[in-house]
Amino acid sequence: GLLNAVLHSNSRFGIGPEDRFLGVTSLHHDLSLYDVFGPLTSGAALVLLPQERAADPGVWTEHILRHRVTVWNSVPAYHSLLMDHCRASGTRLPLRLHLLGGDWVRPSVFEAMAVVCPEAVLCTTGGPTETTLWTPRYAAPALPPRRPPVPSRPPAPTNPPPILAAS
């Protein structure tokens, strides 16, 4: 399950040697599995944060800029902290892909992304993390700001949901 999810995600998002992931998600959290195995299976790199300042959006921004990070993978709350910090400081980021999972994503995220990294794509993730990493659910460059929470999509082709009964 995990390998299928990682390879599917790498393929879907065109992850390759030029990409850099930021290790903002703690290693005990299931989202961090893609931070580790996504780069390992694609030739990309993982940028690690200093542990004593790993929860500081200023440090995240510094590392994203210094190392030209292209992929952000976290819960929506961390992403909001990053976007708020960058909007307040007037910083634009080189991120091309934002992967958000573990909670619902507010539509206002697109407004923040339009200012901080206007070329980036957002993809929500979710699914049975007990048996696999996730299923990339919805990818879009933008949605209208008054839209309800970002919708879901069908599971990855290598991870279909089980049908337990015809009824």
Side-chain angles (χ1 to χ4, degrees), residues 18-21 47 62-71 92-95:
E18 68 285 350
D19 285 302
R20 303 288 175 266
F21 288 63
V47 176
E62 176 186 323
H63 279 71
I64 289 169
L65 294 171
R66 180 184 310 145
H67 301 287
R68 307 288 305 157
V69 171
T70 57
V71 180
R92 290 183 62 142
L93 298 176
L95 296 168

Side-chain angles (χ1 to χ4, degrees), residues 40-61:
L40 280 175
T41 57
S42 67
L46 172 60
V47 176
L48 297 175
L49 297 164
Q51 186 173 358
E52 65 278 0
R53 297 184 59 215
D56 181 345
V59 172
W60 303 341
T61 302

Side-chain angles (χ1 to χ4, degrees), residues 2-3 11 13 17 28 41-42 56 59 61 77 81 111 120 123 156 163:
L2 175 60
L3 181 59
S11 174
F13 300 122
H28 68 272
T41 57
S42 67
D56 181 345
V59 172
T61 302
L81 290 172
E111 180 183 325
C123 183
I163 298 175

Side-chain angles (χ1 to χ4, degrees), residues 134-145:
W134 62 31
T135 297
R137 296 217 170 171
Y138 189 83
L143 287 175

